[in-house]
Amino acid sequence: MSLTQGMKAKQLLAYFQGKADQDAREAKARGELVCWSASVAPPEFCVTMGIAMIYPETHAAGIGARKGAMDMLEVADRKGYNVDCCSYGRVNMGYMECLKEAAITGVKPEVLVNSPAADVPLPDLVITCNNICNTLLKWYENLAAELDIPCIVIDVPFNHTMPIPEYAKAYIADQFRNAISQLEVICGRPFDWKKFKEVKDQTQRSVYHWNRIAEMAKYKPSPLNGFDLFNYMALIVACRSLDYAEITFKAFADELEENLKAGIYAFKGAEKTRFQWEGIAVWPHLGHTFKSMKNLNSIMTGTAYPALWDLHYDANDESMHSMAEAYTRIYINTCLQNKVEVLLGIMEKGQVDGTVYHLNRSCKLMSFLNVETAEIIKEKNGLPYVSIDGDQTDPRVFSPAQFDTRVQALVEMMEANMAAAE
Amino acid sequence: MSRVEAILSQLKDVAANPKKAMDDYKAETGKGAVGIMPIYSPEEMVHAAGYLPMGIWGAQGKTISKARTYLPAFACSVMQQVMELQCEGAYDDLSAVIFSVPCDTLKCLSQKWKGTSPVIVFTHPQNRGLEAANQFLVTEYELVKAQLESVLGVKISNAALENSIAIYNENRAVMREFVKVAADYPQVIDAVSRHAVFKARQFMLKEKHTALVKELIAEIKATPVQPWDGKKVVVTGILLEPNELLDIFNEFKIAIVDDDLAQESRQIRVDVLDGEGGPLYRMAKAWQQMYGCSLATDTKKGRGRMLINKTIQTGADAIVVAMMKFCDPEEWDYPVMYREFEEKGVKSLMIEVDQEVSSFEQIKTRLQSFVEML
């Protein structure tokens, strides 16, 4: 009988998250390759080659959520990383430096011994993709330089006009073929195209069930608490090309569907207003952001961030143009007009009453268009919004009091609109 | 006034008065100007269209107020200034603005121009070793060209482009020569003058700039090299302004013997080479050949080694890192470069460049103690 038999989705999530890290540790111990990857870089190539994958952004978010970011940020600070640099990147560079020191001296630095960070091994190669920011190019340049290891780059050019042109897809698909050649050299064996097809199919099944979960937010009242998407995100990032993600997401989507049928909703009848969260979660204060909204009886039913991993494509397309499109159409890699359309679609589907914009100190790409995005959307659907200051992993930026004041104002506006409509 | 002084004075005037340079050009030619956002653009196309390319690199000491509405305080200093000027309508006389998007900030800024000029955006490919990247960039350039032709109402012929490429290549070669001359004659070309020669090339037709700089070089080289009793540094970063900051270099006799500033030598580092392919293809190849820049992806991270080599080649005493405030590509390069400097025993100092700031006492103190240590 399978170890996971009878587990609920929440248990599966914890189990497979731990297992992914364990897989990497065991691979390293066997002398096999470990790759660190950007969160929306295509894992299909490395997984086909049997390379264990670790995702520094997820790892850093986990460290942040477990209140361990400060130690790693201080290590990065000592190495010369400016506080302006993305905190995921700084946490990861700090962690990498600790691992490197341990590998060289044979002694784990104290800061690592005391860290709540999940134990992951150093990489033998890295793969990056700039579909969610160009910072990932700089960060992975540094990983490759500091560890003297190969770096595979998948460059998806910013789509300043939409739809995505064929010449961009052709360039990206060519990079896919180049990545495969690089991996053949690194691994010293030919690429297994048959397995590649299976991995692509697996990825598509994971994405299918991931989308099933997000889909549940369209019901009113909602059986899905949108913050759960943040919790389950770890697997769509780290395990989408393995069945770990598929098994977990299917279980969760099934549970939600059963709940819906049984009339069991996320807020158990207390859902008054529904909001969109735009931006990355404030991981070190995730509990606070969720609870504050819950206390105001406001439920998140729309967020584009977890939808970044809606990486559906045609797995049979041998030109790989379809896969290229999936990896480049990420809404933050497109023009403002498209970004607005994507968010409007999410708001409509989730039947939201307003938006919280996270002005994220770490993420310039997901902050510098917030004003324009909010204004255009307000003009189109008339829904209220507020902006809150925060950071994805540096706990010092977020102010709980500011957050509470701003979201109270939002909820008041949303409730006033509802009252006026009645 | 000597001829050297006269030329420097002319270039300093242009550098300090870009608006006048543009108005003069318009009056003279009946044509207009096109704004060129940092960092790299196919400027040759604008030149071939008969328009004056105008660099847009912010301003100095402007208090940010209107831009605050649209940008949080942690946007890079240059873009804060550019946004403030947009809001004031400072760029509205430009016939178009060309935007490249090699960093996250520029991606966003390309989508929120507050002026009235049409904005033309293109993306540089970052997997630069591949031929597919060249092909991608050629298509982007074709689209830029088509948009320019449409906005300006002119046809840009291949012959005109070839002519402009030759003019730009010559200007870059002359500027590389100027860098060496400035290193040999710091008594004649101080930090302020050196910067002005570079800055003026953003607001002048390159053939005119070339002629002046050639003459300047010839005049200077006709005089003997004098021993330099100050220090020598290589500077790196996005830009090193304003003159008040450069005055500190002069005050402490710190000669800038080479630079890796995005506003200065990175603009003249690579040429559009002769060879197979049309002009747009060869211009795309120039991006492939670019190196040592935080905005041009390099998984081998060669910038630190390049800078160390520059110090060896020029006999410089140290490297000064002019860190543009809130420029994360530059901030990401720094820790690796710094480690390499330390490993090779190359002395370095990082100073922060913030265009909004108008007081330089802190930098002055830091540079003074740094020089004393060298």
Side-chain angles (χ1 to χ4, degrees):
Chain A
M1 198 172 102
S2 148
L3 267 175
T4 55
Q5 191 86 34
M7 278 191 190
K8 300 287 279 180
K10 208 171 170 183
Q11 294 165 299
L12 289 168
L13 172 66
Y15 173 77
F16 282 122
Q17 261 188 285
K19 184 160 169 45
D21 291 344
Q22 190 188 335
D23 290 348
R25 290 193 297 270
E26 287 173 4
K28 192 76 174 182
R30 288 194 300 269
E32 292 169 11
L33 297 176
V34 173
C35 177
W36 282 11
S37 171
S39 64
V40 202
E44 288 87 340
F45 312 114
C46 289
V47 171
T48 297
M49 287 306 234
I51 297 171
M53 306 297 285
I54 289 294
Y55 288 79
E57 289 153 78
T58 304
H59 189 247
I63 295 172
R66 292 182 202 125
K67 320 284 183 205
M70 284 311 300
D71 282 348
M72 295 302 151
L73 293 172
E74 278 163 20
V75 176
D77 185 53
R78 284 198 294 277
K79 292 287 172 185
Y81 286 92
N82 192 300
V83 72
D84 183 47
C85 296
C86 159
S87 60
Y88 277 173
R90 280 183 292 136
V91 166
N92 181 243
M93 293 310 290
Y95 185 78
M96 182 278 289
E97 290 291 348
C98 291
L99 286 186
K100 193 174 157 186
E101 188 186 323
I104 293 168
T105 63
V107 182
K108 262 191 180 185
E110 205 181 323
V111 68
L112 191 57
V113 175
N114 298 328
S115 175
D119 182 11
V120 301
L122 277 173
D124 303 288
L125 71 153
V126 291
I127 180 168
T128 192
C129 179
N130 55 343
N131 48 11
I132 53 169
C133 64
N134 275 22
T135 299
L136 281 162
L137 296 173
K138 302 306 296 176
W139 171 359
Y140 278 65
E141 276 181 357
N142 286 19
L143 284 173
E146 297 297 14
L147 295 167
D148 194 20
I149 55 175
C151 179
I152 296 173
V153 174
I154 305 293
D155 167 40
V156 294
F158 178 68
N159 295 293
H160 47 77
T161 38
M162 288 292 273
I164 295 149
E166 278 305 314
Y167 69 91
K169 293 182 210 167
Y171 166 48
I172 297 162
D174 210 73
Q175 293 178 77
F176 289 166
R177 288 185 281 275
N178 186 62
I180 289 168
S181 305
Q182 279 177 279
L183 283 171
E184 287 180 325
V185 172
I186 293 165
C187 299
R189 58 192 151 81
F191 192 68
D192 183 342
W193 290 91
K194 189 163 165 276
K195 179 150 184 232
F196 180 51
K197 173 66 172 55
E198 291 165 11
V199 171
K200 285 191 289 182
D201 286 338
Q202 175 60 67
T203 309
Q204 290 310 297
R205 287 195 299 274
S206 302
V207 167
Y208 168 75
H209 290 292
W210 177 245
N211 288 342
R212 270 183 70 208
I213 300 170
E215 192 74 11
M216 300 308 289
K218 72 182 178 192
Y219 296 104
K220 203 170 178 176
S222 174
L224 173 74
N225 158 24
F227 275 91
D228 273 341
L229 289 170
F230 289 155
N231 293 324
Y232 281 80
M233 251 178 64
L235 288 185
I236 192 67
V237 173
C239 302
R240 63 183 175 272
S241 291
L242 305 173
D243 64 2
Y244 301 3
E246 182 195 357
I247 294 168
T248 308
F249 298 158
K250 182 178 180 307
F252 189 35
D254 288 350
E255 284 172 20
L256 290 168
E257 278 176 9
E258 281 162 25
N259 286 349
L260 180 68
K261 271 187 216 152
I264 301 168
Y265 304 107
F267 277 14
K268 300 186 174 57
E271 172 188 319
K272 269 197 193 161
T273 55
R274 299 157 69 97
F275 71 97
Q276 170 184 232
W277 178 282
E278 167 51 10
I280 301 177
V282 186
W283 295 112
H285 303 277
L286 189 67
H288 182 91
T289 52
F290 167 64
K291 280 177 204 150
S292 290
M293 296 309 287
K294 188 161 194 281
N295 289 340
L296 294 163
N297 298 315
S298 194
I299 185 165
M300 190 218 292
T301 57
T303 174
Y305 180 47
L308 295 181
W309 289 269
D310 172 14
L311 296 159
H312 64 270
Y313 56 77
D314 176 2
N316 292 310
D317 169 26
E318 288 182 2
S319 75
M320 293 192 278
H321 281 211
S322 173
M323 188 173 159
E325 178 168 3
Y327 278 98
T328 191
R329 68 168 172 249
I330 313 294
Y331 79 113
I332 47 176
N333 195 43
T334 65
C335 56
L336 176 61
Q337 191 191 350
N338 187 65
K339 184 181 175 184
V340 164
E341 280 170 25
V342 168
L343 295 187
L344 280 170
I346 285 170
M347 293 172 84
E348 195 178 337
K349 196 166 187 182
Q351 303 185 61
V352 306
D353 307 301
T355 301
V356 175
Y357 288 91
H358 176 193
L359 186 70
N360 183 346
R361 181 62 188 78
S362 268
C363 189
K364 294 182 162 88
L365 191 59
M366 288 183 88
S367 292
F368 288 179
L369 284 172
N370 280 11
V371 173
E372 287 76 11
T373 306
E375 281 177 355
I376 298 170
I377 288 179
K378 175 89 194 290
E379 206 171 294
K380 296 216 181 213
N381 65 15
L383 297 176
Y385 65 89
V386 288
S387 173
I388 58 112
D389 294 316
D391 188 280
Q392 58 210 35
T393 320
D394 190 330
R396 294 166 291 191
V397 183
F398 180 83
S399 151
Q402 187 221 46
F403 179 83
D404 290 350
T405 312
R406 298 266 168 94
V407 295
Q408 273 160 18
L410 175 72
V411 170
E412 277 168 28
M413 287 188 277
M414 294 195 295
E415 287 178 350
N417 281 351
M418 287 173 83
E422 277 166 9
Chain B
M1 192 191 275
S2 73
R3 186 60 193 143
V4 167
E5 284 166 340
I7 296 171
L8 286 177
S9 165
Q10 190 181 344
L11 292 172
K12 281 176 182 174
D13 275 352
V14 173
N17 302 295
K19 171 103 175 69
K20 183 177 180 302
M22 182 179 77
D23 292 343
D24 289 350
Y25 181 81
K26 282 183 175 175
E28 197 181 311
T29 64
K31 288 195 170 181
V34 171
I36 306 290
M37 287 290 288
I39 306 287
Y40 309 107
S41 267
E43 236 189 87
E44 288 89 339
M45 281 186 210
V46 176
H47 184 271
Y51 278 66
L52 180 67
M54 297 282 288
I56 297 179
W57 294 77
Q60 199 55 53
K62 224 175 167 36
T63 303
I64 301 298
S65 63
K66 297 184 186 76
R68 278 281 175 268
T69 311
Y70 304 107
L71 274 181
F74 55 91
C76 90
S77 174
V78 176
M79 290 309 139
Q80 299 273 2
Q81 296 283 330
V82 170
M83 179 58 75
E84 188 70 19
L85 287 162
Q86 282 175 42
C87 295
E88 290 179 356
Y91 303 121
D92 289 350
D93 290 337
L94 297 169
S95 301
V97 176
I98 302 183
F99 247 102
S100 63
V101 291
C103 71
D104 297 327
T105 301
L106 281 165
K107 284 180 201 173
C108 293
L109 266 286
S110 78
Q111 301 299 303
K112 54 190 280 174
W113 185 260
K114 307 296 176 192
T116 56
S117 314
V119 171
I120 299 171
V121 187
F122 75 101
T123 308
H124 285 103
Q126 289 291 352
N127 210 340
R128 299 181 305 123
L130 302 181
E131 178 55 22
N134 296 333
Q135 297 300 336
F136 172 83
L137 190 51
V138 166
T139 313
E140 288 286 275
Y141 281 175
E142 280 167 355
L143 293 171
V144 171
K145 181 167 165 273
Q147 288 174 80
L148 265 181
E149 288 175 335
S150 157
V151 167
L152 305 179
V154 290
K155 195 83 193 148
I156 301 169
S157 71
N158 271 3
L161 255 181
E162 294 289 6
N163 178 52
S164 298
I165 287 171
I167 287 167
Y168 270 69
N169 278 348
E170 187 187 12
N171 181 262
R172 286 185 280 253
V174 167
M175 285 306 290
R176 290 193 291 267
E177 170 72 9
F178 168 75
V179 168
K180 288 186 184 140
V181 171
D184 288 342
Y185 295 85
Q187 297 90 345
V188 184
I189 303 292
D190 64 12
V192 172
S193 301
R194 187 186 184 283
H195 174 59
V197 174
F198 266 104
K199 191 159 185 178
R201 76 182 281 284
Q202 292 175 36
F203 311 127
M204 292 175 76
L205 279 184
K206 296 294 184 283
E207 55 269 47
K208 291 196 170 175
H209 185 260
T210 301
L212 282 174
V213 179
K214 266 185 168 173
E215 197 187 342
L216 180 69
I217 290 172
E219 289 284 335
I220 296 172
K221 281 175 103 170
T223 63
V225 172
Q226 302 289 334
W228 176 247
D229 59 354
K231 299 295 178 188
K232 295 177 176 181
V233 297
V234 171
V235 296
T236 183
I238 297 294
L239 51 75
L240 190 58
E241 287 184 336
N243 287 345
E244 288 86 337
L245 179 52
L246 294 164
D247 281 336
I248 303 172
F249 282 73
N250 291 344
E251 186 183 338
F252 297 125
K253 291 191 127 181
I254 307 168
I256 295 173
V257 291
D258 204 346
D259 81 272
D260 164 49
L261 297 170
Q263 194 190 30
E264 301 189 3
S265 278
R266 287 189 206 166
Q267 297 295 324
I268 58 162
R269 186 165 291 159
V270 295
D271 288 333
V272 178
L273 299 176
D274 291 340
E276 285 181 21
L280 294 187
Y281 178 74
R282 285 167 19 242
M283 284 162 72
K285 289 267 288 188
W287 169 243
Q288 188 174 48
Q289 282 142 9
M290 184 60 194
Y291 59 93
C293 170
S294 56
L295 283 310
T297 299
D298 173 15
T299 58
K300 300 287 176 214
K301 214 76 189 170
R303 182 174 168 198
R305 292 190 295 279
M306 175 193 78
L307 287 165
I308 291 165
N309 286 340
K310 280 184 187 294
T311 60
I312 295 167
Q313 284 156 9
T314 57
D317 300 289
I319 294 169
V320 173
V321 179
M323 182 59 73
M324 175 55 60
K325 194 173 184 183
F326 300 131
C327 172
D328 47 340
E330 287 284 310
E331 289 162 349
W332 273 99
D333 272 1
Y334 179 71
V336 177
M337 291 190 322
Y338 179 72
R339 175 181 58 73
E340 290 171 341
F341 299 160
E342 291 288 298
E343 283 170 1
K344 297 284 177 193
V346 175
K347 294 191 174 63
S348 71
L349 174 74
M350 182 172 75
I351 56 172
E352 189 176 73
V353 176
D354 179 349
Q355 290 194 325
E356 196 178 356
V357 163
S358 52
S359 160
F360 302 97
E361 284 310 310
Q362 202 190 359
I363 292 179
K364 188 171 177 176
T365 310
R366 296 193 63 215
L367 272 171
Q368 185 174 21
S369 27
F370 184 62
V371 167
E372 283 163 6
M373 271 167 40
L374 292 176

